[in-house]
Amino acid sequence: MLIELKMTVSGYSRQRVLLHWLSAAVILWTLLTGFLVAGFEVSAHTRESVAFFNVSLTTVFIPFYLWRLFLFFTHTRFSGMRSLSLVEVLALFVHSSIYLIVGAVLVTGVLMMDRPINVFGVVEIAQPLSDPRLIALFVTVHTWACVVLSLLLAAHIGAVIVHEACNHRVLRRMSLRLCGKPGAGRLE
């Protein structure tokens, strides 16, 4: 028995577009700076500053991510998969995978903490785990999840470039919606 599934998305609201760009900024910043301090020789002060800022930023981002995930599922209608083209199936897979992997990165980011989570010096959250072996496991899973997320984002950005090159104005439609004008695109 085949399960039929089709994703159609109603036009993106201004809220969904804002959450998309907020997510893009937070995710790209934390991935780039995280890989920078992990892969290059930087001062201890720079490493600590980036870690502090990224932990604070992503902790504050978690409720926005959960809201975005909620909106994704409530604004997505599933019907029959047979009518989707291969490109649409691939786009659905990549978008769903991005949501899944971002969630994994956020969860493992919290679980890998070996100290309390200091959120911009305002709030401190107790570290959830104390077993060094579990923390080390979550550091490894977090690192690989970040690598996978980077590859998915490269595919996503590549698809946007292809759409733009083919005169499918995805960025323009997302920008118009941001300004409160109609014309949001079909895929985030």
Side-chain angles (χ1 to χ4, degrees):
M1 177 178 179
L2 290 174
I3 297 174
E4 293 189 22
L5 174 74
K6 181 180 180 182
M7 183 180 91
T8 57
V9 179
S10 57
Y12 291 121
S13 65
R14 181 182 170 116
Q15 181 181 54
R16 289 185 74 197
V17 172
L18 286 169
L19 286 170
H20 173 270
W21 290 115
L22 171 68
S23 299
V26 168
I27 292 166
L28 289 173
W29 168 264
T30 54
L31 283 174
L32 290 172
T33 58
F35 283 130
L36 175 73
V37 299
F40 294 96
E41 197 68 33
V42 297
S43 70
H45 174 72
T46 300
R47 183 178 312 282
E48 291 168 13
S49 296
V50 168
F52 171 77
F53 183 78
N54 285 359
V55 166
S56 295
L57 180 64
T58 54
T59 302
V60 170
F61 175 68
I62 289 171
F64 292 98
Y65 166 75
L66 293 173
W67 183 246
R68 185 164 187 231
L69 192 63
F70 171 77
L71 291 175
F72 174 74
F73 284 111
T74 58
H75 290 197
T76 303
R77 308 289 180 253
F78 297 95
S79 55
M81 186 114 172
R82 290 184 184 162
S83 63
L84 289 179
S85 71
L86 179 59
V87 172
E88 290 172 321
V89 170
L90 186 58
L92 173 60
F93 174 76
V94 170
H95 283 97
S96 299
S97 297
I98 289 171
Y99 280 104
L100 176 70
I101 296 298
V102 167
V105 167
L106 292 170
V107 168
T108 58
V110 169
L111 294 176
M112 71 181 230
M113 294 300 294
D114 59 358
R115 61 191 175 282
I117 301 167
N118 182 342
V119 183
F120 294 115
V122 175
V123 175
E124 190 170 277
I125 303 167
Q127 79 184 67
L129 301 174
S130 58
D131 182 345
R133 290 173 295 170
L134 275 177
I135 292 170
L137 171 68
F138 283 113
V139 167
T140 301
V141 174
H142 180 78
T143 301
W144 283 107
C146 288
V147 169
V148 170
L149 181 57
S150 297
L151 295 172
L152 288 168
L153 291 179
H156 181 62
I157 292 166
V160 170
I161 292 168
V162 168
H163 280 295
E164 290 293 322
C166 294
N167 208 28
H168 299 121
R169 310 310 299 199
V170 176
L171 290 175
R172 186 171 192 280
R173 288 193 310 260
M174 291 291 277
S175 299
L176 287 174
R177 178 57 74 182
L178 195 58
C179 298
K181 298 177 184 174
R186 185 163 174 224
L187 295 175
E188 287 185 16

